[in-house]
């Protein structure tokens, strides 16, 4: 294991279900590690669970208040010494392009001052290489997906999770994070994103119905939107195609409330279609405010709906939150709805967290309001931190500036 090229070569040659075993063997040989463990974040983002043959014999580790959880949250290596055992365990984030998958924990013999910077760098390179291979391997093995489950998913939730692009991502221009609750019994809410050189497309959907019917509706809508987007159609035509697909299937008896957005990465110009949507909040310079939009008909409600885009501008330092109706409609045990004031306070209280951690934190506040009883609807929170493109912005004469 000279450098990551050797690690990557070994991983590419391994069977999908063996890639962690390959990394563990390489680390044990190179560093004489006493133990190497891969922990995957569960769907609710509250536990880190070991990868291995089911049933798991090792209990999960909480994301909060644990050493691996600290590495997962901070996205940097965290070392813990075990004095009596003369060992030190390095916990390293396993992430790819901002998507937080889990933690690689490596227990080494303790030396003077703990692992050197070179050793930690080498271990982190192994964790990075492993992260890329896990994403690819999930097409061909269930091993890593099984490790993400603290409990069995409903069939509808299985369909919804397989539809999602990830739970977080990052580029120089932006950072994104999103979360669905209850994670193991989703009703129909969903999100999607895709980026090119100059554009970021976001979709935030508030599903109608329950169970399989809701999951099938959402799958139809998301795939219709992807089909139109991948054909290079503009945002209006994307909405029209999805609207026609849903109406053609359900004749208006089922429809989907959706936000469609296109961010122009060089300038921060935003084009948006509000199709009976989830709502948007903005945190700018410490001030939290709702963004008012002209709501149009949900996708599939009527035949031949004409959608009209709206526009606004994001500035470096802006934070946008996209919130589904399941948050606003959540009831306390006493029957009181979760208020906009409480939501604004939660957005302000989480302003120092990175975008990937904000949805989980906001939903945790919501759970405190709702109590431990079963949810009557699912809740979706997506957070976008806008950094802006580094370097000079194109001038107004650029043909790619206008949308």
């Amino acid at each position: 294991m000279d450098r990551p090229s050797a690690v990557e070569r070994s991983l590419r040659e391994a069977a999908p279900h063996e890639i962690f075993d390959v990394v563990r063997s390489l680390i044990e040989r190179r560093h004489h590690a006493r133990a190497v463990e891969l922990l995957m974040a569960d769907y609710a983002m509250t536990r880190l669970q070991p990868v291995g043959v089911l049933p798991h014999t090792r209990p999960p580790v909480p994301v909060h208040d644990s050493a691996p959880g600290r590495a997962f949250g901070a996205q940097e290596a965290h070392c813990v010494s075990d004095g009596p055992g003369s060992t030190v365990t390095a916990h390293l984030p396993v992430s790819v392009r901002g998507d937080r998958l889990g933690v690689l924990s490596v227990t080494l013999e303790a030396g003077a001052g703990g692992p050197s910077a070179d050793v930690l760098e080498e271990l982190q390179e192994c964790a990075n290489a492993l992260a890329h291979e896990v994403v690819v391997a999930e097409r061909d093995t269930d091993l890593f997906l099984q490790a993400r489950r603290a409990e069995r998913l409903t069939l509808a939730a299985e369909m919804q999770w397989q539809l999602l692009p990830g739970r977080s991502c990052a580029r120089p221009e932006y950072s994104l994070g999103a979360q669905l609750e209850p994670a193991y019994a989703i009703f129909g809410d969903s999100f999607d994103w895709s980026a090119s050189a100059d554009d970021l497309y976001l979709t935030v959907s508030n599903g109608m119905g329950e169970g399989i019917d809701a999951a099938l509706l959402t799958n139809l809508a998301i795939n219709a939107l992807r089909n139109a987007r991948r054909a290079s159609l503009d945002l209006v035509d994307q909405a029209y195609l999805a609207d026609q697909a849903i109406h053609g299937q359900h004749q208006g008896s089922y429809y989907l409330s959706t936000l469609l957005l296109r961010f122009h990465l060089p300038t921060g110009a935003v084009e948006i279609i509000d199709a009976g949507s989830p709502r948007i909040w903005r945190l700018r310079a410490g001030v939290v405010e709702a963004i008012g939009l002209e709501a149009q008909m949900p996708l599939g409600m009527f035949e031949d709906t004409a959608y009209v885009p709206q526009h606004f501008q994001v500035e470096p330092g802006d934070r946008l939150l996209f919130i589904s109706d399941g948050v606003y409609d959540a009831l306390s045990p006493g029957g009181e709805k979760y208020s906009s004031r409480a939501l604004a306070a939660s957005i302000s209280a989480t302003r120092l967290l990175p975008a990937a951690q904000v949805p989980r934190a906001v939903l945790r506040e919501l759970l405190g309001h709702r109590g431990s009883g079963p949810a009557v609807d699912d809740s979706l929170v997506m957070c976008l931190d806008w950094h802006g493109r580094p370097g000079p912005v194109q001038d107004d004469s650029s043909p790619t500036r206008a949308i």
Side-chain angles (χ1 to χ4, degrees):
M1 192 178 74
D2 298 324
R3 276 298 170 188
S5 59
V7 177
E8 292 165 358
R9 185 167 57 251
S10 297
L11 287 172
R12 285 196 298 267
E13 294 172 353
H17 65 280
E18 294 177 340
I19 57 174
F20 171 57
D21 294 330
V22 168
V23 168
R24 176 169 53 197
S25 178
L26 290 169
I27 292 174
E28 287 173 346
R29 289 202 309 267
R30 170 67 173 171
H31 298 287
H32 307 289
R34 295 192 181 182
V36 182
E37 187 172 44
L38 174 60
L39 303 170
M40 300 289 291
D42 83 317
Y43 286 102
M45 298 290 280
T46 59
R47 305 179 185 181
L48 294 166
Q49 305 201 133
V51 170
V53 178
L54 296 176
H56 298 302
T57 57
R58 185 193 185 287
V61 177
V63 167
H64 301 285
D65 302 322
S66 71
R70 179 171 173 177
F72 183 78
Q75 286 295 284
E76 60 184 28
H78 176 60
C79 296
V80 179
S81 297
D82 176 17
S86 300
T87 62
V88 59
T89 301
H91 302 287
L92 308 125
V94 177
S95 304
V96 55
R97 294 188 177 91
D99 194 9
R100 305 175 177 206
L101 306 179
V103 174
L104 182 67
S105 298
V106 182
T107 301
L108 307 166
E109 294 184 4
S116 67
D118 288 343
V119 168
L120 285 178
E121 181 181 1
E122 202 170 309
L123 292 175
Q124 186 60 66
E125 288 169 344
C126 289
N128 295 341
L130 179 59
H132 282 268
E133 292 300 322
V134 165
V135 172
V136 176
E138 285 183 346
R139 300 181 306 179
D140 301 307
T141 180
D142 291 333
L143 179 66
F144 304 104
L145 292 171
Q146 287 174 326
R148 292 173 58 181
R149 297 162 190 236
E151 57 187 85
R152 184 173 178 177
L153 276 71
T154 64
L155 178 54
E158 184 86 49
M159 296 169 66
Q160 295 293 78
W161 280 112
Q162 291 303 305
L163 192 65
L164 301 179
R167 286 176 290 183
S168 55
C169 69
R171 268 182 52 168
E173 298 91 347
Y174 61 84
S175 300
L176 266 171
Q179 180 64 24
L180 290 165
E181 284 293 331
Y184 296 91
I186 300 168
F187 292 95
D189 287 3
S190 188
F191 58 86
D192 196 23
W193 57 62
S194 178
S196 62
D198 286 335
D199 293 304
L200 167 67
Y201 288 94
L202 293 184
T203 303
V204 184
S205 301
N206 186 51
M208 178 184 179
E210 298 182 4
I212 299 299
D213 288 339
L216 289 171
L217 174 65
T218 303
N219 270 260
L220 175 61
I222 294 298
N223 280 292
L225 289 167
R226 287 174 176 173
N227 178 257
R229 187 184 71 222
R230 291 164 184 171
S232 299
L233 300 183
D234 62 25
L235 210 62
V236 170
D237 286 338
Q238 291 176 32
Y240 179 78
L241 190 150
D243 176 67
Q244 291 300 293
I246 297 171
H247 189 273
Q249 184 70 25
H250 298 289
Q251 304 300 310
S253 58
Y254 284 91
Y255 47 85
L256 197 78
S257 298
T258 306
L259 273 176
L260 305 175
L261 302 101
R262 180 170 75 94
F263 291 79
H264 189 228
L265 299 179
T267 64
V270 184
E271 180 183 20
I272 180 170
I273 292 176
D274 181 352
S277 70
R279 285 170 260 184
I280 308 178
W281 291 72
R282 179 176 62 203
L283 175 62
R284 175 180 286 176
V287 178
V288 178
E289 58 183 344
I291 296 180
L293 296 168
E294 181 182 344
Q296 301 175 67
M297 292 298 103
L299 301 179
M301 179 174 280
F302 299 107
E303 190 174 7
D304 293 327
T305 302
Y307 292 97
V308 179
Q310 301 171 71
H311 301 85
F312 66 93
Q313 190 79 24
V314 287
E315 301 175 358
D318 281 357
R319 168 169 285 180
L320 300 179
L321 284 101
F322 308 88
I323 312 289
S324 75
D325 289 349
V327 174
Y328 298 96
D329 294 339
L331 299 177
S332 71
E336 180 182 358
K337 278 192 174 183
Y338 193 63
S339 68
S340 295
R341 180 178 299 179
L343 178 59
S346 179
I347 293 171
S348 181
T350 58
R351 65 189 182 279
L352 299 180
L353 293 177
Q357 294 186 35
V358 170
R360 177 70 261 166
V362 171
L363 289 169
R364 190 164 58 246
E365 291 288 330
L366 176 67
L367 182 60
H369 168 82
R370 182 172 60 81
S372 58
V376 297
D377 193 5
D378 46 357
S379 302
L380 185 159
V381 176
M382 178 189 286
C383 179
L384 168 69
D385 282 349
W386 184 259
H387 313 306
R389 175 161 290 182
V393 174
Q394 295 178 349
D395 62 36
D396 292 341
S397 64
S398 169
T400 62
R401 180 178 176 86
I403 59 175

